[in-house]
């Protein structure tokens, strides 16, 4: 193992695609990616909230996008239109897939047959088990940071933890 690069630090972002705060959180995600590159792995974890009726379908659609190789472009495109998603629901999810050149028919089928529901349910259950109550919530190095209340100072806190974890690998 000594000659291989160290495993990246994992940052889980518990998020839902109808949440305006999660859209704001993308700024932090971009900054962290720019700073750490491959040394940090950002994973979107699904936590659809009941108050947002299209969030569950959006989470399934994001999994379909991942299967088609465009998870983050899709996630970001949907988050940029949270208000539209609230108004139009599933047709918007299909439209975004089409705009990104994905197989929109396959999205439609995936939403009907529910093939990604287990992943979404498993994420949600894990989130509840570790105390996630709102979105966005970040988990890095075993620490949970709740961005649903305020994102003030969160990126700095994530960077502190990432720096500490990366330093400990050396």
């Amino acid at each position: 193992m000594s000659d291989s690069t160290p495993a990246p630090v994992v940052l889980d972002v518990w998020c839902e695609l109808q949440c305006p705060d999660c859209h704001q959180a993308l700024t932090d995600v971009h900054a962290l990616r720019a700073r750490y590159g491959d040394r940090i792995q950002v994973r979107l974890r699904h936590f659809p909230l009941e108050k947002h009726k299209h969030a569950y379908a959006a989470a399934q659609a994001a999994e379909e996008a991942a299967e088609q190789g465009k998870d983050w472009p899709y996630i970001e495109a949907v988050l940029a239109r949270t208000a539209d998603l609230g108004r139009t629901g599933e047709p918007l999810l299909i439209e975004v897939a089409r705009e990104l050149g994905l197989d929109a028919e396959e999205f439609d089928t995936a939403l009907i047959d529910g093939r990604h529901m287990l992943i979404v349910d498993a994420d949600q259950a894990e989130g509840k088990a570790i105390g996630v109550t709102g979105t966005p919530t970040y988990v890095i190095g075993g620490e949970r940071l709740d961005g649903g209340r305020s994102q003030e100072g969160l990126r700095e806190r994530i960077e502190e933890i990432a720096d500490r974890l990366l330093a400990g690998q050396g």
Side-chain angles (χ1 to χ4, degrees):
M1 281 295 283
S2 56
D3 59 348
S4 66
T5 52
V9 169
V10 174
L11 171 66
D12 280 339
V13 183
W14 299 85
C15 174
E16 67 122 273
L17 300 188
Q18 202 179 330
C19 168
D21 289 338
C22 288
H23 181 235
Q24 303 288 295
L26 284 177
T27 309
D28 287 342
V29 168
H30 290 156
L32 291 164
R33 281 209 180 112
R35 177 169 172 172
Y36 294 103
D38 292 343
R39 294 179 305 150
I40 197 164
Q41 179 192 358
V42 182
R43 294 193 310 194
L44 180 95
R45 305 298 301 276
H46 302 293
F47 203 77
L49 302 168
E50 287 187 7
K51 67 181 178 184
H52 292 142
K53 66 180 181 195
H54 303 299
Y56 191 76
Q60 293 178 68
E63 283 301 318
E64 181 56 36
E67 246 176 48
Q68 293 191 31
K70 286 210 174 153
D71 48 352
W72 280 99
Y74 186 82
I75 289 160
E76 296 193 16
V78 174
L79 279 173
R81 296 162 75 175
T82 52
D84 289 350
L85 178 59
R87 279 193 302 275
T88 56
E90 292 187 16
L92 177 81
L93 299 173
I94 310 295
E95 185 184 318
V96 170
R98 196 170 283 120
E99 286 167 9
L100 290 172
L102 297 168
D103 183 342
E105 294 298 306
E106 204 53 41
F107 270 77
D108 203 23
T109 308
L111 289 173
I112 292 164
D113 71 20
R115 69 182 74 156
H116 302 299
M117 283 167 66
L118 286 175
I119 295 173
V120 177
D121 290 347
D123 270 8
Q124 198 166 31
E126 187 184 329
K128 284 180 178 156
I130 62 167
V132 175
T133 54
T135 57
T137 296
Y138 303 88
V139 177
I140 183 170
E143 289 193 49
R144 191 180 78 233
L145 307 167
D146 183 358
R149 291 198 195 94
S150 163
Q151 298 190 42
E152 200 59 49
L154 264 187
R155 185 163 77 214
E156 293 75 10
R157 187 76 194 98
I158 292 167
E159 288 173 353
E160 273 170 37
I161 297 167
D163 289 343
R164 190 180 72 226
L165 293 169
L166 289 164
Q169 288 179 348

